[in-house]
């Protein structure tokens, strides 16, 4: 951590071993929201946003972890804390629901808010979002697991409630104790790692785990093992009989509920086919002191618990063994799992997996009696859509019983298989509690399980799919891969981590590939796609770089006049579908689609013209709607001969204008209307509005995109938020390009200007910049020019104009 003050210099402190491990997993995760934690709090009355903003700022000022970013500097993952960060809750509300139900929309919004990026390099790694859908209210607290664990989130909610109550009562926010600085904990971890304090515990874990193999469910589906793969959450309430069984076993064995649930999971996995020696991952709070219990930060650890079960063992004996194993775990839990993992033999590391495929945690009475000041709150199901492992189950106490939330990999498991596991666990708890001396071998379960070792053996036995490319780099990759994993890659696109690789072996592979003076490979770039092909690309595989894909799109071939159209701001050739339907069938119609991140009108015009030239095409007419007309104008201006005639569909003249950062919300509202028009949605379809936050005018673009995606999904018009974000970024880039674009002309080319929202003064500005100008007004607004209602009028004007151009030619 880098502690900053007016009097002291920066003192970098490395991240803890668990934080560093999460940082590396984050780099390779398919969905980087996988290590977001979101507490979704349903409240029965509105929250005072201004009071909550004061309370939230007070907590950010109070706790280092809330001002911390996690960065890699000089090869070391380091924590950096800012002296102060100005924060504010975001607010999102939806009033017009059309046919969308409030419950569905609230769930979808929570999922999108949860998935909105929290980049480790940019503090704060925590945010609050107030959501209102009609008269329903929720508070979403989202944090990155790299800086806060579940215990810390519970502390944070309690302090937020206390601070909110103080502000609402007109009192200054204050706390009875000073905060525990996370930098102190991080420094202690670094010292403990260096001075051998963990040696005895490392020796214990090596003895306990050598030869162990993780147990996991037998997959139903062919999805690859991958952190951040598609996931879902299932909430399950254990039966009253299971609760009674836990109570009976606790009385008979003096075991905790967690040890009993762990024992039941071991029994189910053994009977399901994983064998008599099973290991599962257990997430521990790792807070054994009063100080650490008050620490707002990330102290949690992963421990692998190994169980050896014989068919003749009684349920009570299995529970007692689990109880003893848990006590040993608590004694040695302080050693971060990455340190333990690195000390294990390579065969054991492969058999355990990185990360562990099945995780279990116990949360005690978490989520009970939650409040924000005087307002009661209910902890609603988590909104995760990504999976950390095959199956991760958390159990907690609720209303005298037990609830579980299971996060599972939907690419490998159907919901029915997860429910089967839960039903088996429920039955074992109920029957085992009723008969503690019942033998393990007498239980029949419906689940199917195996060890991770068996899964990896099956993956590694796959034959090589065809010959790998032959070059010096490919031979080098082939040899290093085989050396590290013990088997050659089964193709160019196999995922390193899906066939037994882990973080340590990934580093070893990169070291081998960059030895002997070869260029260094950026492992962070490779982790995004950890395949032989990606490694070959980073090393330089000797092939010529692929040429940029053409922006030219053929909408219709024909022998008649050639019309070429340029997309509008954030648009695509699809925008012209109605116009295309009204144009003569023998016309050739082509279009330009957006090119990468070209930032200016001249740059786009140059690229689009180059692709037309490459195809040997010189259109008779060249134009576009709105921003597209400006690009078309520049394309014509760039030509010195055989200039096409211009068709400008309600395009503003290139005189430039101011694009204020403060009206970004207004621009997003316009973008939203464009999206809704594309689906022909009515005006009463659900519209979201995002306010608050510290961005320009308090607007958070990515949250707004997520809310738009949720609204569309709620009315059965799903569009991925990532695609909407790409379209929004294109729209913004095109608007900036349009605002900066100035061209005084004149350009000696005839032009047709279709006017809808254009002013007479703007038509006069066009007249000064083109050759012969023909204008035609239609009864539509700016966006209506492209609709089916206006298409016939626009097409008729274009056809008439084309005849005049042809006659002059």
């Amino acid at each position: 951590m880098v502690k900053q003050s007016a009097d002291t210099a920066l003192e970098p402190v490395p991240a803890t071993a668990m934080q560093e491990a999460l940082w590396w997993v984050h780099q390779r995760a398919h969905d980087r929201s996988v290590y977001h934690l979101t507490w979704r709090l349903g409240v029965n009355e509105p929250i005072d946003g201004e009071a909550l903003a004061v309370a939230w700022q007070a907590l950010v000022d109070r706790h280092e972890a809330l001002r911390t970013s996690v960065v890699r500097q000089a090869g070391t993952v380091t924590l950096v804390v800012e002296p102060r960060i100005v924060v504010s809750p975001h607010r999102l509300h939806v009033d017009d629901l059309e046919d969308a139900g409030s419950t569905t929309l609230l769930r979808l919004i929570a999922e999108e808010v949860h998935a909105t990026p929290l980049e480790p390099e940019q503090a704060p790694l925590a945010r609050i979002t107030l959501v209102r859908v009609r008269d329903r209210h929720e508070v979403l607290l989202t944090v990155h697991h790299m800086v806060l664990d579940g215990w810390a989130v519970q502390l944070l909610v309690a302090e937020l409630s206390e601070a909110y109550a103080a502000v609402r009562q007109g009192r200054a926010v204050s706390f009875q104790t000073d905060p525990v600085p996370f930098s102190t904990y991080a420094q202690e971890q670094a010292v403990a790692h260096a001075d051998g304090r963990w040696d005895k515990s490392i020796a214990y874990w090596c003895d306990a785990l050598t030869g162990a193999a993780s147990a996991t469910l037998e997959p139903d589906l062919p999805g690859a093992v991958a952190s951040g793969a598609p996931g879902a959450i299932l909430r399950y309430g254990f039966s009253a009989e299971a609760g009674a069984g836990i109570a009976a076993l606790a009385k008979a064995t003096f075991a905790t509920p967690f040890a009993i649930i762990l024992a039941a999971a071991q029994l189910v996995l053994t009977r399901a086919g994983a064998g008599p020696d099973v290991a599962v991952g257990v997430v521990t709070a790792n807070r054994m002191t009063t100080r650490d219990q008050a620490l707002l930060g990330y102290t949690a650890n992963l421990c692998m618990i190994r169980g050896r079960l014989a068919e003749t063992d009684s349920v009570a004996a299995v529970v007692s063994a689990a109880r003893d194993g848990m006590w040993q775990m608590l004694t040695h839990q302080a050693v971060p799992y990455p340190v333990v993992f690195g000390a294990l033999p390579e065969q054991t590391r492969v058999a355990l997996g990185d990360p562990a495929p099945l995780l279990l945690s116990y949360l005690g009475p978490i989520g009970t009696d939650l409040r924000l000041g005087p307002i009661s709150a209910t902890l609603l199901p988590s909104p995760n859509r990504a999976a950390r492992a095959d199956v991760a189950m958390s159990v907690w106490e609720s209303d005298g019983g037990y609830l579980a939330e299971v996060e599972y990999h939907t690419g490998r498991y159907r919901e029915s298989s997860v429910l089967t596991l839960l039903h088996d666990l429920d039955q074992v708890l109920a029957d085992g509690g009723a008969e503690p001396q019942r033998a393990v071998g007498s239980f029949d379960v419906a689940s199917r399980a195996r060890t991770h070792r068996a899964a990896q053996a099956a993956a590694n036995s796959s034959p090589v799919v065809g010959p790998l490319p032959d070059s010096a780099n490919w031979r080098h990759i082939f040899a290093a891969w085989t050396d590290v994993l013990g088997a050659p890659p089964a193709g160019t696109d196999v995922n390193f981590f899906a066939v037994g690789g882990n973080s340590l072996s990934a580093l070893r592979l990169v070291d081998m590939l960059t030895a002997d003076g070869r260029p260094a490979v950026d492992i962070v770039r490779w982790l995004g796609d950890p395949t032989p092909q990606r490694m070959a690309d980073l090393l330089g595989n000797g092939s010529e770089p692929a040429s940029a894909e053409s922006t030219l799109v053929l909408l219709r071939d024909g022998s008649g006049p050639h019309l070429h159209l340029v997309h509008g701001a954030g648009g695509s050739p699809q925008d012209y579908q109605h116009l295309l339907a009204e144009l003569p069938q023998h016309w050739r119609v082509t279009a330009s689609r957006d090119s990468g991140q070209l930032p200016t009108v001249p740059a786009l015009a140059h690229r689009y013209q180059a692709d037309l030239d490459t195809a040997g095409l010189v259109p008779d007419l060249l134009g576009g709607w709105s921003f597209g007309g400006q690009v078309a104008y520049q394309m014509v201006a760039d030509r010195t001969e055989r200039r096409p005639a211009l068709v400008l569909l309600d395009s503003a003249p290139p005189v430039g204008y101011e694009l204020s950062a403060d009206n970004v919300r207004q621009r997003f509202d316009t973008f939203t209307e464009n999206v809704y028009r594309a689906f022909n949605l009515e005006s009463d379809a659900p519209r979201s509005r995002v306010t608050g936050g510290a961005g320009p005018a308090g607007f958070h673009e990515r949250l707004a995109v997520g809310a738009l995606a949720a609204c569309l999904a709620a009315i059965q018009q799903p569009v991925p938020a990532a695609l909407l974000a790409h379209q929004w970024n294109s729209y913004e880039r095109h608007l900036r390009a349009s605002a900066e674009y100035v061209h005084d002309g004149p350009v000696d080319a005839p032009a047709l200007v279709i006017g809808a929202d254009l002013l007479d003064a703007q038509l006069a500005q066009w007249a000064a910049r083109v050759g012969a100008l023909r204008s035609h007004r239609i009864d539509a607004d700016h966006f209506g020019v492209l609709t089916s209602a206006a298409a016939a009028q626009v097409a008729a004007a274009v056809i008439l104009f084309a005849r005049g151009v042809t006659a002059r030619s």
Side-chain angles (χ1 to χ4, degrees):
M1 181 162 294
V2 179
K3 296 189 68 178
Q4 297 181 343
S5 72
D7 303 318
T8 61
L10 302 183
E11 298 178 2
V13 173
T16 67
M18 286 298 292
Q19 288 177 311
E20 182 174 6
L22 276 191
W23 188 91
W24 283 106
V25 172
H26 176 89
Q27 304 310 312
R28 74 179 198 242
H30 288 210
D31 182 339
R32 292 192 170 186
S33 71
V34 63
Y35 281 106
H36 291 185
L37 301 177
T38 294
W39 276 34
R40 183 182 167 205
L41 303 174
V43 292
N44 55 15
E45 60 182 271
I47 297 293
D48 182 338
E50 298 305 319
L52 189 66
V54 175
W56 182 232
Q57 184 67 63
L59 292 186
V60 172
D61 291 343
R62 171 173 164 81
H63 292 291
E64 286 184 351
L66 298 177
R67 306 191 307 277
T68 295
S69 57
V70 187
V71 300
R72 190 168 183 247
Q73 300 174 333
T76 300
V77 179
T78 303
L79 306 179
V80 177
V81 63
E82 299 295 334
R84 191 168 195 270
I85 298 176
V86 176
V87 295
S88 180
H90 304 285
R91 305 177 201 181
L92 193 162
H93 62 262
V94 180
D95 288 314
D96 299 319
L97 293 189
E98 200 184 45
D99 296 327
S102 297
T103 299
T104 297
L105 186 52
L106 282 164
R107 174 182 58 81
L108 291 167
I109 286 174
E111 290 177 358
E112 294 294 345
V113 170
H114 173 86
T116 299
L118 287 169
E119 293 300 337
E121 296 80 11
Q122 183 62 54
L125 298 180
R127 62 168 172 257
I128 290 179
T129 308
L130 301 178
V131 180
R132 177 178 65 79
V133 173
R134 283 190 176 160
D135 59 351
R136 299 269 300 275
H137 299 269
E138 290 186 7
V139 179
L140 307 178
L141 173 60
T142 304
V143 305
H144 202 295
H145 205 5
M146 238 179 276
V147 293
L148 294 176
D149 55 25
W151 183 295
V153 174
Q154 189 167 14
L155 294 176
L156 182 59
V157 170
E159 286 197 359
L160 182 65
S161 176
E162 186 179 343
Y164 178 73
V167 177
R168 288 284 291 163
Q169 295 166 9
R171 297 184 286 109
V173 176
S174 62
F175 299 92
Q176 293 183 351
T177 60
D178 292 332
V180 179
F182 189 77
S183 56
T184 301
Y185 179 84
Q187 288 166 343
E188 290 172 354
Q189 290 274 295
V191 171
H193 195 182
D195 67 8
R197 196 178 311 169
W198 292 335
D199 289 353
K200 184 176 179 180
S201 290
I202 293 172
Y204 164 79
W205 286 117
C206 287
D207 181 63
L209 296 177
T210 296
S214 291
T216 189
L217 289 184
E218 187 77 40
D220 311 307
L221 303 169
V225 175
S227 183
I233 290 285
L234 178 65
R235 184 175 276 197
Y236 178 86
F238 284 99
S239 67
E241 292 79 7
I246 291 173
L249 287 167
K251 184 176 180 180
T253 64
F254 302 101
T256 63
F258 191 17
I260 295 166
I261 292 167
L262 171 64
Q266 291 171 336
L267 193 157
V268 170
L269 292 167
T270 291
R271 296 297 296 151
D277 186 351
V278 295
V280 299
V282 171
V283 180
T284 70
N286 198 22
R287 294 172 183 257
M288 299 300 288
T289 68
T290 303
R291 186 208 67 172
D292 287 352
Q293 289 168 9
L295 175 62
L296 201 77
Y298 176 44
T299 71
N301 195 12
L302 170 66
C303 295
M304 297 300 299
I305 301 297
R306 188 177 188 179
R308 294 179 173 90
L309 289 74
E311 290 199 355
T312 56
D313 287 342
S314 67
V315 173
V318 175
V319 171
S320 296
R323 175 201 64 203
D324 295 343
M326 293 282 283
W327 280 115
Q328 289 293 325
M329 178 196 74
L330 292 175
T331 301
H332 300 286
Q333 69 172 328
V335 185
Y337 183 65
V339 176
V340 172
F341 189 78
L344 294 171
E346 177 65 24
Q347 285 185 327
T348 300
R349 291 201 294 261
V350 171
L352 290 177
D354 176 26
L358 197 153
L359 301 173
L360 188 63
S361 60
Y362 188 78
L363 307 178
I366 196 170
T368 59
D369 194 28
L370 291 175
R371 313 189 69 79
L372 280 175
I375 302 172
S376 62
T378 302
L379 185 60
L380 300 171
S382 300
N384 305 38
R385 292 191 300 202
R388 292 167 288 169
D390 279 357
V391 177
M393 181 168 67
S394 298
V395 181
W396 69 96
E397 303 159 18
S398 176
D399 297 328
Y402 296 90
L403 287 176
E405 266 195 358
V406 182
E407 173 190 288
Y408 64 97
H409 185 335
T410 55
R412 287 171 62 78
Y413 302 100
R414 297 185 179 93
E415 182 183 274
S416 57
S417 293
V418 179
L419 279 170
T420 297
L421 172 66
L422 288 164
H423 291 153
D424 284 340
L425 191 57
D426 196 302
Q427 196 66 50
V428 166
L429 289 168
D431 293 349
E435 299 181 71
Q437 297 307 313
R438 181 172 171 178
V440 168
S442 68
F443 285 89
D444 290 324
V445 299
S447 298
R448 292 294 174 262
R450 65 183 182 184
T451 64
H452 189 64
R453 180 189 291 117
Q456 293 310 121
N460 287 330
S461 66
S462 301
V464 173
V465 182
L468 292 173
D470 187 21
S471 70
N473 278 338
W474 272 107
R475 289 191 293 272
H476 190 44
I477 292 168
F478 188 92
W481 187 287
T482 303
D483 186 272
V484 169
L485 293 183
T492 59
D493 294 322
V494 64
N495 186 295
F496 179 81
F497 296 94
V499 292
N502 53 60
S503 298
L504 294 174
S505 54
L507 291 169
R508 182 179 161 209
L509 176 67
V510 170
D511 286 342
M512 291 181 67
L513 290 171
T514 57
D516 302 326
R518 293 183 179 89
V521 170
D522 186 340
I523 188 172
V524 174
R525 293 176 64 192
W526 180 67
L527 287 173
D529 182 20
T531 64
Q533 181 62 62
R534 179 59 172 158
M535 184 63 75
D537 293 339
L538 293 172
L539 285 172
N541 57 21
S543 61
E544 292 296 323
S547 58
E549 187 178 358
S550 175
T551 61
L552 186 62
V553 177
L554 177 65
L555 299 180
R556 178 191 296 157
D557 204 1
S559 59
H562 178 190
L563 169 64
H564 184 80
L565 296 166
V566 179
H567 60 84
S572 73
Q574 182 67 17
D575 296 339
Y576 298 108
Q577 57 177 319
H578 297 301
L579 175 60
L580 182 66
E582 297 292 340
L583 292 172
Q585 290 294 315
H586 70 289
W587 276 33
R588 173 186 285 182
V589 184
T590 58
S592 291
R593 58 180 181 80
D594 189 25
S595 174
Q597 295 297 314
L598 296 177
T600 67
V601 167
L604 286 164
H606 178 76
R607 174 64 194 279
Y608 297 165
Q609 185 60 56
D611 288 339
L612 279 169
D613 292 344
T614 298
L617 297 177
V618 180
D620 301 297
L621 306 169
L622 199 159
W625 171 71
S626 192
F627 173 71
Q630 294 182 332
V631 178
Y633 175 76
Q634 183 64 47
M635 291 170 69
V636 173
D638 288 343
R639 296 186 65 86
T640 57
E641 56 184 22
R642 297 183 64 189
R643 280 176 167 159
L646 279 162
V647 176
L648 306 172
L649 306 180
D650 212 44
S651 299
V655 297
Y657 59 94
E658 182 179 356
L659 189 66
S660 171
D662 292 339
N663 67 4
V664 62
R665 185 187 300 114
Q666 179 181 347
R667 299 199 296 275
F668 189 84
D669 289 344
T670 302
F671 168 76
T672 298
E673 293 305 316
N674 290 350
V675 172
Y676 274 65
R677 286 173 183 272
F679 286 105
N680 296 316
L681 295 174
E682 301 298 328
S683 59
D684 61 346
R687 260 67 166 180
S688 59
R689 188 165 181 82
V690 175
T691 60
F699 183 71
H700 191 295
E701 298 178 37
R702 185 57 183 81
L703 279 175
V705 167
L708 174 57
C711 288
L712 291 170
I715 54 174
Q716 308 303 312
Q717 297 285 358
V719 181
L723 178 58
L724 288 173
H726 175 77
Q727 291 180 315
W728 163 246
N729 290 336
S730 296
Y731 180 75
E732 270 279 273
R733 174 167 51 87
H734 294 156
L735 284 187
R736 289 193 297 271
S738 179
E740 296 170 359
Y741 182 49
V742 176
H743 195 293
D744 294 330
V747 174
D748 187 17
L752 167 68
V753 178
I754 301 290
D757 282 350
L758 287 180
L759 303 174
D760 290 341
Q762 291 176 302
L763 292 176
Q765 290 172 325
W766 272 124
R769 287 168 169 79
V770 298
L773 176 70
R774 174 178 294 181
S775 62
H776 180 84
R777 286 201 173 273
I778 62 171
D779 185 17
D781 62 19
H782 181 62
F783 301 99
V785 172
L786 297 179
T787 63
S788 57
Q793 295 182 59
V794 174
V798 173
I799 293 166
L800 183 62
F801 177 64
R803 289 173 183 161
V805 170
T806 304
R808 281 195 296 272
S809 301

